[in-house]
Amino acid sequence: MILVTGGAGFIGSNFVLDWLAQTDEPVLNLDKLTYAGNQENLVTLHGDARHIFVQGDIGDSALVERLLAQHQPRAIVNFAAESHVDRSIHGPEDFIQTNIMGTFRLLEAVRAYWGGLTGDLRQAFRFLHVSTDEVYGSLAKEDPAFCEGNRYEPNSPYSASKAASDHLVRAYHHTYGLPVLTTNCSNNYGPLHFPEKLIPLMIVNALAGKPLPVYGDGMQVRDWLYVKDHCSAIRRVLAAGRVGEVYNVGGWNEMPNIDIVNTLCALLDEMRPKSGGESYRAQIAYVTDRPGHDRRYAIDASKIERELGWKPSETFDTGIRKTVQWYLGNQAWVARVQSGAYREWVQTNYAQRVA
Ligand code: NAD
Ligand code: DAU
C-alpha cells in the first residue's frame, strides 16, 4: 500500500480517487481534517476496503510511527500542508507548524521506518514530497520560466515554509540517503477546490451575485494546470522518477488573473445566463492588492516531459469548462463548504443511513 498525507484536501482527494480508479493498491490516508480537509470529497470510497482513513497530524510522531509499522507502506506521497497564501499572511504560525515542523517529524519517522526495511522493500521505497512553484519567487515579464535549478526566493510565509520543507527533504536524501522525490507544481484548478482560492471563489461568488474581488491591477500571471494532470504527473514521478531529483510540473498555460476571471464570466454567461441578460463581468471589483504579491510564475516542465514522458492532457479551455460544469453540478457541496456544515457532513450522512 501507499501512505498519502493530506488526502482529504483538494489535490490529495483528487489523487486518492484517481489512484483507486486506476489500481487496486490500497491507500492509507492520513489527514488532520483542518478547515481544508473534507471527508465528503471521498464519499464514493465509503465502504471500500482499499481506502483506510485516519484522522491525524503528520507532526504526531507516535501516530505516524505506529501507522508505518502497522501498514508497511511501500511509498509515501506528502500533500499535507497549509496551502493558502492569504491565510499565511494573516497567521503564519500554522504554516510553520505543519509545513516545516510537520514535514520534519514525518521525515524523522520515515527515516526510522526506512532504516528498518531490508531487501527489495528498502530498495523500492520512495518518499514523494509535493511542493510548489512559489518557492522560486517572482518572475519579471521577460524572464524565462522556472527550471529545477532556479534559486529559491520565497516571498510569502506560505512559500517560505514550503521552501523550508523542500530543503529538509533534500537534506534527508543527501545526509541519510532517504529515497526522496520532489515535485514543484504551478496553480491547480478543478473539482473539489476549496472556494477560498481564485477560480472556485470567482465561480461561487458570481453565482451568488457577489463581487468578484480582483487583487491590484489583476495583471499578476500564474501558470494553471488541471488537477487531474497534476495527479498523473505525481503517479509518473512516483513510478519512474530518479531518486533525489526534483521535477517541475506545469500546464504551459500562463494567464493574467483578470483573463481568468473574464473567461469564467464568459463561461457562466453561456452555461448559466442571468435572467436579465447582464454579463457576470459586471460583478468584477478591483480591491486592495495582496501584500508582497508575486507578479509572475511560469513553469518550464520540459524535464518531466523529456525524462518521464509526462505531458498534461487537458488544455486550459477543456479543463476550465469541466471545472465550471462541476461547480454548477455540485452546488450542495459548495453550500456545505461555505456554511461549515461539511465538517459534520460525514457523521450526519452516515448516521442517517444507519437509521
Ligand atoms: P489543501 O489546503 O486543499 O489540502 C491540504 C490537506 O492537508 C487538507 O486536507 C488538510 O486537512 C491536510 N492537513 C493540513 N495540515 C495537516 C497536518 N498537520 N497533518 C495532516 N494533514 C494535514 O491543499 P491542496 O491545494 O490540496 O495542496 C496540497 C499540496 O500541494 C500542498 O502541499 C500544497 O503546498 C501543494 N501544492 C498546491 C498547489 C495548488 O494549486 N493548490 C500547487 C502546487 C503545490
Ligand atoms: O503556484 C502554486 C500555488 O498556487 C500553490 O502552492 C498554493 O497552495 C495555491 O493556493 C496557489 O497560490 P496562489 O496564491 O497563486 O493562489 P490563489 O488562488 O490564492 O490566487 C491566485 C491569484 O489570484 C493570485 O495572483 C492572487 C489572485 N487573487 C486571489 C484571490 C483569492 C485575486 O485576485 N482575488 C482573490 O480573491
Side-chain angles (χ1 to χ4, degrees), residues 39 54 96-97 172 177 180 182 203 258 266 290 294 337 347:
Q39 279 189 282
V54 176
I96 307 307
Q97 278 309 326
Y172 271 62
V180 306
T182 299
I203 298 171
I258 190 64
R290 171 185 280 173
D294 285 337
V337 168
Q347 206 184 343

Side-chain angles (χ1 to χ4, degrees), residues 329-351:
N330 288 275
Q331 290 190 47
W333 179 92
V334 171
R336 282 189 291 270
V337 168
Q338 288 190 314
S339 71
Y342 72 102
R343 287 176 177 275
E344 289 88 44
W345 186 86
V346 170
Q347 206 184 343
T348 313
N349 181 55
Y350 296 114

Side-chain angles (χ1 to χ4, degrees), residues 6 8-11 31-34 36-37 56-58 79-81 83 98 130-132 158 162 185-188:
F10 163 48
I11 307 173
D31 195 297
K32 187 177 174 182
L33 296 182
T34 66
D57 193 321
I58 56 167
F79 291 99
S83 70
T98 283
V130 180
S131 193
T132 170
Y158 162 69
K162 289 295 290 186
C185 186
S186 57
N187 285 60
N188 286 212

Side-chain angles (χ1 to χ4, degrees), residues 165-329:
S165 68
D166 293 8
H167 290 322
L168 285 169
V169 169
R170 178 190 154 89
Y172 271 62
H173 174 65
H174 191 80
T175 304
Y176 305 114
L178 191 71
V180 306
L181 299 155
T182 299
T183 54
N184 291 87
C185 186
S186 57
N187 285 60
N188 286 212
Y189 66 98
L192 304 170
H193 206 178
F194 198 88
E196 64 181 353
K197 309 276 169 73
L198 180 73
I199 288 181
L201 181 75
M202 295 297 152
I203 298 171
V204 306
N205 275 13
L207 293 171
K210 292 183 179 167
L212 307 180
V214 173
Y215 296 166
D217 64 0
M219 291 306 291
Q220 300 82 9
V221 172
R222 298 288 182 268
D223 172 70
W224 294 93
L225 180 70
Y226 191 62
V227 63
K228 303 283 180 189
D229 279 325
H230 188 190
C231 295
S232 74
I234 291 169
R235 290 196 302 275
R236 187 69 196 131
V237 172
L238 189 60
R242 283 186 292 133
V243 164
E245 289 290 314
V246 172
Y247 295 91
N248 279 359
V249 182
W252 301 104
N253 178 59
E254 281 183 61
M255 280 175 82
N257 293 337
I258 190 64
D259 289 3
I260 298 280
V261 178
N262 278 320
T263 301
L264 292 170
C265 289
L267 281 171
L268 288 169
D269 286 342
E270 174 200 321
M271 291 157 81
R272 187 63 57 88
K274 287 197 199 185
S275 52
E278 193 184 38
S279 170
Y280 288 95
R281 283 199 177 99
Q283 290 168 233
I284 293 175
Y286 286 90
V287 297
T288 309
D289 209 350
R290 171 185 280 173
H293 200 169
D294 285 337
R295 195 68 182 165
R296 174 178 166 238
Y297 304 142
I299 277 278
D300 181 340
S302 46
K303 177 177 172 182
I304 188 172
E305 179 174 346
R306 193 177 58 248
E307 293 192 8
L308 305 181
W310 176 88
K311 272 200 290 198
S313 340
E314 299 287 347
T315 63
F316 188 70
D317 286 350
T318 59
I320 198 68
R321 192 167 273 278
K322 284 184 184 176
T323 303
V324 173
Q325 260 155 3
W326 189 88
Y327 279 88
L328 288 173

